[in-house]
Amino acid sequence: MIDSKHIETKTIHAGKVKDGQFGALSTPIYQTSTFIFDNVQQGSARFMGEEEGFIYGRLGNPTVRELEQRMAALESTEDAAAFGSGMGAVSATLLANLEKGDHLIASAALYGCTFSLMNHKFPQMGIEVSFVDMTNESEIRAAIKENTKLIYFETPINPNMVVIDLEMVANIAKHNNLLSIVDNTFMSPALQNPAEFGIDLIVHSATKYLNGHGDVIAGVTCGSKEQIENIKLTTLKDMGAVMSPNDAWLIIRGLKTLSVRVERHCENAQRVAEFLEAHPRIKQVNYPGLPSHQGYPLIGKQMRAAGGIMAFEIDGTFDDAVTFMNSLKLCSIAVSLGDAETLIQHPASMTHSPYEEEERAAAGISETLIRLSVGLENVHDIISDLTQALDVMNSRLRQVG
Ligand SMILES: *Cc1c(COP(=O)(O)O)cnc(C)c1O
């Protein structure tokens, strides 16, 4: 086990399992559904938890287990559990800790499907949710009831990029005996480690920066040994959103370059954000790396850098936003984020369409808000593409006017 505090070393070595059989550098892919027992007694001992070892793929797999150990090391938690998608991680983590009659407090702005789960499915199950402005400490405190079990949020928030103070929320949770859960997808462990600020459970869509190459759907939850065991023995085992060994291998491979990739994402995004902020047809740029941003003071405190994602508003109409996006040549119109390719999407019509119009307004998601995941291309090429598409939008306007 490598004992380094440095993220560049940890992403490559921490949590690695030495291949005792052949000494393979790369993690072997154990593409198997089940595991053979020596005899009935051994099978029984494994089911009883009296003997370590694998039983059946839904209950654990050596390749997936290595990814879990690597993620626990990167997030500085005791353990981790891997899932077949980010939403698999979000739903299993929440449902392992909630039952009928419980109440939770969640950020009003969230990833669209997380919001949909809480706003539609949870009430049907008798689980009550209060949506609050997570930047507002007194609003969070005021929402706490006798049956409140947990606080759930993202920082920065998808898609509006509002930054939430991790320590502030963790303290409220601790003092009121509540569980705190944060979705750390936007930052990745390369830029932010919520456990260091007292957050109990950290969920990730591994589809994004962790894998980083746009070829996997997966999720991970990091937390205490006790919490992870609870999730594995209940909502992971019985609801079954497990990760495949092959996907675990791809994410382990992706993790090895996480810190260098994220460094370039951040450099490129900073330049793009500065370009957009100075452009006359851009009304507002939400990027924590800009001194004008609400989250800027938390850089250096809870975030090591501002990340690769921003949201901005076109100074114009919905149609202008559409013209701009349809005129892009290098940037691809696609949801997802954290890939080598620059991806651009329109939350109101895409990722955040599960919100009703009023709910979107309450969550600060306007009709002209555009989310940009800045890729690893040369930054001059990205800025040239944005420039030419804004020019097309401008000339359309003149023709019409
Ligand atoms: C993408 C995403 C999810 C959902 O992850 P999937 O892997 O698509 O299921 C959850 N939270 C955030 C912040 C995301 O960006």
Side-chain angles (χ1 to χ4, degrees):
M1 199 49 188
I2 297 292
D3 188 24
S4 171
K5 283 189 174 58
H6 302 291
I7 189 75
E8 298 85 351
T9 307
K10 284 173 79 174
T11 53
I12 298 168
H13 296 283
K16 178 169 173 51
V17 178
K18 192 168 183 273
D19 172 28
Q21 197 171 7
F22 299 113
L25 174 70
S26 164
T27 305
I29 306 174
Y30 288 92
Q31 192 73 36
T32 183
S33 57
T34 196
F35 298 84
I36 301 168
F37 307 130
D38 287 341
N39 48 44
V40 174
Q41 288 86 341
Q42 185 180 50
S44 168
R46 292 214 183 151
F47 269 94
M48 298 299 285
E50 292 160 1
E51 182 189 294
E52 292 259 327
F54 295 95
I55 298 172
Y56 178 66
R58 183 159 36 75
L59 311 180
N61 170 284
T63 314
V64 176
R65 185 64 194 141
E66 176 166 330
L67 173 66
E68 291 172 343
Q69 284 169 228
R70 282 174 175 267
M71 281 304 300
L74 289 179
E75 282 292 19
S76 304
T77 55
E78 286 173 0
D79 207 349
F83 300 85
S85 70
M87 283 315 300
V90 169
S91 58
T93 303
L94 284 166
L95 288 172
N97 289 289
L98 291 167
E99 54 187 75
K100 190 176 163 191
D102 285 346
H103 169 254
L104 71 131
I105 299 169
S107 162
L110 287 167
Y111 179 71
C113 297
T114 305
F115 175 75
S116 170
L117 175 73
M118 290 181 178
N119 196 41
H120 301 126
K121 199 70 209 166
F122 279 8
Q124 292 169 2
M125 300 169 72
I127 298 166
E128 192 196 350
V129 189
S130 296
F131 293 102
V132 302
D133 172 2
M134 278 287 161
T135 60
N136 188 335
E137 188 169 348
S138 51
E139 199 176 320
I140 305 170
R141 289 187 190 281
I144 299 172
K145 304 187 198 190
E146 217 158 85
N147 58 342
T148 306
K149 286 285 152 65
L150 59 89
I151 306 181
Y152 185 97
F153 65 111
E154 301 164 0
T155 180
I157 295 176
N158 186 354
N160 61 17
M161 299 306 295
V162 170
V163 174
I164 311 298
D165 189 325
L166 289 164
E167 201 168 24
M168 180 266 283
V169 180
N171 283 338
I172 297 176
K174 282 217 163 61
H175 292 146
N176 293 280
N177 228 350
L178 309 176
L179 206 58
S180 53
I181 308 178
V182 74
D183 181 332
N184 199 28
T185 301
F186 270 34
M187 286 282 100
S188 91
L191 296 179
Q192 178 169 277
N193 297 117
E196 288 172 6
F197 299 91
I199 298 292
D200 298 309
L201 284 159
I202 300 133
V203 297
H204 283 280
S205 169
T207 310
K208 317 293 168 57
Y209 288 105
L210 298 179
N211 179 58
H213 293 74
D215 46 20
V216 158
I217 297 284
V220 176
T221 298
C222 303
S224 71
K225 207 168 162 12
E226 188 187 348
Q227 270 292 339
I228 296 301
E229 187 174 79
N230 177 38
I231 294 166
K232 284 192 170 182
L233 294 179
T234 61
T235 46
L236 181 54
K237 174 173 79 69
D238 297 339
M239 293 168 82
V242 293
M243 183 187 286
S244 85
N246 199 64
D247 287 351
W249 183 84
L250 282 166
I251 299 163
I252 291 169
R253 185 167 75 159
L255 281 181
K256 293 184 191 183
T257 56
L258 180 69
S259 66
V260 282
R261 282 187 286 111
V262 165
E263 234 176 88
R264 176 64 69 84
H265 281 298
C266 291
E267 271 173 41
N268 282 358
Q270 185 70 36
R271 303 275 291 277
V272 169
E274 285 165 9
F275 159 77
L276 288 172
E277 193 173 48
H279 197 284
R281 290 304 306 278
I282 303 296
K283 200 157 61 182
Q284 196 188 331
V285 182
N286 303 331
Y287 181 65
L290 296 173
S292 59
H293 191 268
Q294 154 273 349
Y296 187 75
L298 285 168
I299 294 186
K301 190 200 166 208
Q302 71 181 36
M303 312 151 81
R304 286 186 276 277
I309 306 159
M310 66 195 67
F312 57 94
E313 274 184 77
I314 298 274
D315 187 8
T317 61
F318 173 78
D319 289 339
D320 292 334
V322 172
T323 303
F324 161 70
M325 287 181 66
N326 284 347
S327 304
L328 290 163
K329 293 177 176 142
L330 177 71
C331 306
S332 304
I333 304 172
V335 298
S336 201
L337 52 99
D339 289 327
E341 294 83 356
T342 295
L343 304 178
I344 194 161
Q345 70 112 353
H346 181 241
S349 63
M350 297 173 190
T351 50
H352 290 70
S353 52
Y355 281 72
E356 299 292 335
E357 214 170 306
E358 316 82 68
E359 292 166 345
R360 261 203 302 276
I365 305 164
S366 82
E367 291 290 306
T368 56
L369 187 77
I370 291 171
R371 189 187 75 192
L372 183 68
S373 168
V374 178
L376 302 176
E377 300 96 340
N378 184 291
V379 72
H380 299 289
D381 293 333
I382 301 169
I383 291 174
S384 297
D385 191 36
L386 295 167
T387 305
Q388 66 79 23
L390 285 163
D391 287 348
V392 174
M393 184 186 88
N394 256 333
S395 61
R396 287 271 169 86
L397 197 75
R398 256 181 262 120
Q399 281 164 13
V400 176

